Amino acid sequence: MTTTPAQEARGLEGLGHFGRFGGRLAPEALMSALDELTTAYEAAKTDRQFQAELAALLHEYASRPTRLTELPRFAEHAGGGRVFAKREDLAHTGSHKINNVLGQALLTKKMGKSRIIAETGAGQHGVATATAAALLGLDCVVYMGAEDTRRQALNVARMRLLGAEVVPVTIGSQTLKDAINETFRDWVATVEYTHYCIGSVMGPHPFPTMVRDFQRIIGVEAREQILAKAGRLPDAVIACVGGGSNAMGAFHAFIGDEDVRLIGCEAGGDGLGTGRHAATISGGSPGFIHGMYTYLMQDGEGQTLPTHSISAGLDYPGVGPEHSWLHETGRASYRPITDSQAMEAFSLLCRTEGIIPAIESAHALAGALEVGQNLGKDAVIVISLSGRGDKDVDIAGRWFGHLGEEAAK
Amino acid sequence: MTPMAAQASKVATAFETAAAANRAALIGYLPAGFPSVDGAIDAAVAMVRNGADIVEIGLPYTDPLMDGPVIQEAVHHALLGGVHVGDVLRTVEAVAGSGAAVLVMTYWNPVDHYGVEAFARDLASAGGSGLITPDLPPEEAGSWLDVAREHRLDPVFLVAPSSPDERIALISSVCRGFVYAASVMGVTGARTSVGAAASGLVARVRQHTTLPVAVGLGVSTGSQASEVASFADGVIVGSAFVKRLLGADDPASGAESVGRLAAELAAGVRR
């Protein structure tokens, strides 16, 4: 598909288009709600009271700004330069997801809606949404693929402890994409009093732009912090990409800094050649999914392909449309990281720095090990450490044979 | 035949015929490929023989986010059975051959991937009359509208109870054949009541177009069909037909059951 003249005329973000990507392909029943959300969000951007409330929540509740921690022992394995981690794992609820959720939950109240619904893969976004709902007194329902409720049982319990209803989705591949379908189905029927709090920079306009703006704080803080700590801009900013919200948040403030490489690490699963992966940009092609035009994993007839990743949070066949555009323009580059590479990096960070990362974030760490080798000893690298790994202890324990049953084998 | 008559689509003719008989048109939906490609063809033909004026053939898609559990299940099985776009076109051809106007109901990505121009060409040559696109808003439909005109296919878009008047005006202006009015806010599936919103929505659409307005979502019985027929030009039934196929012991009895429901609904739109 080529860009239509109408799309070109709209400019970069006219109706949520990033070049030929993005847009708004949604059922008519949701079009009014998407317009309402766009208007509410545009107003909130310049609403001092909204911005002050959000800033206060991010500071007092979510513990922002998060730290930029240097990882000297890890860096020895990454070409010997300086490596810093933006510690989103230290934000309240244990990942960057809270940044976006607090913004959207506040917006939900502004729009006079009483109920918030969300999809979740690994459970991080679901936990963050359940948290914000508890804080602000909103009813909350989280849809989660049945396969993921098994992989991430602890997060299911966390959401329920926080008062949310968790609905396992048993149709299709029973993972994140099916949870998204089911959340849309709920939303179509309940849109009058319900906001769909999408967890990544994906979906129909205005979500990709709005979620990026709420996550932008990651890169804004990191840019200031690295200038203070290293005295210069980094050579590379590296983040994992599923839907791509932590990456978009980390990249955005650096887009104008042309010498800073922006590197997204996709879920390479068992390897690109096996077809068992979720590396959308590296191994997919452009098409429509979940309301946007973007790279996706699809077969010869435009049917969405099953994906695989050890990380539930990256196990998604699409990607945020702005990433597709950054890829197409060459401003950012994307590379697949296999399950094995990610788990090696996971283990390395545990043992060299005493930090247990989310397996999602371990993909970025593995990317840094590769990139660091090329950049050498004078390099400065910033990694977005998007989440903590408590939720992954079971999976990692099995992978490394640290759990009784597995270790006995 | 006058030049005007040559322009009239099979869909338009079906609505005119129904209106002339002082009744609503009956529009039935079935996905291609369920229980098998031939099984779906047999069921759709049974639908036509028992009074359906227009048939919507669903193109099975992996992410049917506007569909409820009944259609999801049938589509899931159709995809597991390996249904392809070519099978959908073969289904269209067979059902059109039975006399009904046939439209394809599809999410947009499979059409985009096939190529909009190629899809329109192949649909037209299979005897299809148009395309219903539940996730494609007119704003994003640019090339499809041009291509549809060229191949004399009817583009059908949906309006919803939540659509403000400006959007109803926009959508009605790009539809041909008919305007599809979703009776309730929600996904496909049978409901005990069709929703008071439906008649109000139909009235609002009529302020912007002279096209027929057909109501879908939730209709499953003859009496509901009758109720909707009192204010709409067409009654669309999907999940109730699919349910007959899901509940059947074998394809033949499924097609027979679909035929019986079509007869009940056809009586409903005539009351």
Side-chain angles (χ1 to χ4, degrees), chain A residues 334-357:
Chain A
Y334 298 82
R335 60 178 65 204
I337 298 293
T338 63
D339 288 354
S340 307
Q341 286 178 286
M343 293 313 288
E344 267 174 51
F346 176 99
S347 172
L348 187 64
L349 191 73
C350 292
R351 289 167 181 251
T352 57
E353 301 288 348
I355 298 171
I356 301 179

Side-chain angles (χ1 to χ4, degrees), chain A residues 7-333:
Chain A
Q7 284 175 5
E8 278 170 8
R10 285 174 197 157
L12 194 60
E13 291 184 11
L15 260 177
H17 284 93
F18 307 94
R20 60 177 173 146
F21 298 106
R24 182 189 283 178
L25 209 78
E28 175 58 24
L30 296 178
M31 292 300 279
S32 296
L34 292 168
D35 280 339
E36 178 194 13
L37 180 62
T38 307
T39 307
Y41 175 60
E42 287 302 322
K45 275 205 259 187
T46 53
D47 178 343
R48 278 192 188 168
Q49 195 203 339
F50 180 92
Q51 293 300 334
E53 271 176 71
L54 181 57
L57 283 176
L58 287 172
H59 182 66
E60 299 293 338
Y61 189 72
S63 313
R64 299 209 73 87
T66 57
R67 304 301 167 100
L68 186 74
T69 305
E70 185 157 13
L71 310 174
R73 278 168 41 78
F74 180 84
E76 288 171 19
H77 302 264
R82 298 183 74 183
V83 176
F84 297 82
K86 180 61 176 162
R87 301 293 303 280
E88 295 303 298
D89 61 318
L90 296 179
H92 181 45
T93 72
S95 83
H96 70 291
K97 295 292 187 187
I98 194 77
N99 306 330
N100 166 45
V101 159
L102 287 173
Q104 288 200 51
L106 272 183
L107 213 50
T108 305
K109 295 213 82 152
K110 279 261 182 246
M111 291 188 291
K113 294 184 172 184
S114 60
R115 180 171 177 265
I116 196 163
I117 56 176
E119 84 292 344
T120 199
Q124 299 294 78
H125 175 58
V127 166
T129 306
T131 299
L135 176 72
L136 297 175
L138 297 163
D139 293 333
C140 179
V141 177
V142 179
Y143 292 91
M144 189 169 186
E147 166 76 18
D148 291 335
T149 61
R150 287 185 287 272
R151 288 198 274 192
Q152 303 285 354
L154 224 53
N155 270 343
V156 174
R158 285 171 81 192
M159 289 183 268
R160 288 181 174 150
L161 286 171
L162 291 160
E165 182 188 343
V166 180
V167 181
V169 177
T170 54
I171 194 84
S173 61
Q174 310 195 2
T175 58
L176 181 55
K177 94 177 167 72
D178 306 284
I180 293 169
N181 293 340
E182 204 58 18
T183 318
F184 270 112
R185 291 184 188 114
D186 178 318
W187 201 29
V188 170
T190 60
V191 64
E192 207 179 323
Y193 56 93
T194 299
H195 174 64
Y196 178 4
C197 180
I198 290 186
S200 192
V201 285
M202 50 147 290
H205 179 65
F207 285 103
T209 307
M210 179 177 73
V211 175
R212 178 209 59 207
D213 288 350
F214 285 138
Q215 293 293 3
R216 221 183 151 263
I217 192 164
I218 301 171
V220 169
E221 288 175 4
R223 195 174 182 284
E224 276 178 29
Q225 289 165 323
I226 196 70
L227 286 173
K229 283 180 191 278
R232 69 172 178 93
L233 288 169
D235 297 291
V237 177
I238 304 176
C240 64
V241 178
S245 69
N246 95 85
M248 211 52 245
F251 290 173
H252 200 255
F254 293 98
I255 285 179
D257 303 321
E258 285 174 17
D259 294 335
V260 179
R261 296 172 206 209
L262 306 176
I263 298 166
C265 298
E266 299 192 298
D270 292 343
L272 238 53
T274 67
R276 281 177 47 79
H277 63 85
T280 310
I281 291 178
S282 310
S285 60
F288 291 97
I289 187 169
H290 294 141
M292 58 186 166
Y293 190 68
T294 192
Y295 274 82
L296 79 129
M297 303 278 292
Q298 57 187 332
D299 71 10
E301 297 205 335
Q303 305 285 355
T304 311
L305 284 170
T307 52
H308 163 79
S309 169
I310 189 170
S311 141
L314 303 183
D315 201 351
Y316 176 61
V319 65
E322 195 167 2
H323 284 295
S324 292
W325 179 71
L326 289 175
H327 162 71
E328 194 159 83
T329 59
R331 179 62 192 93
S333 66

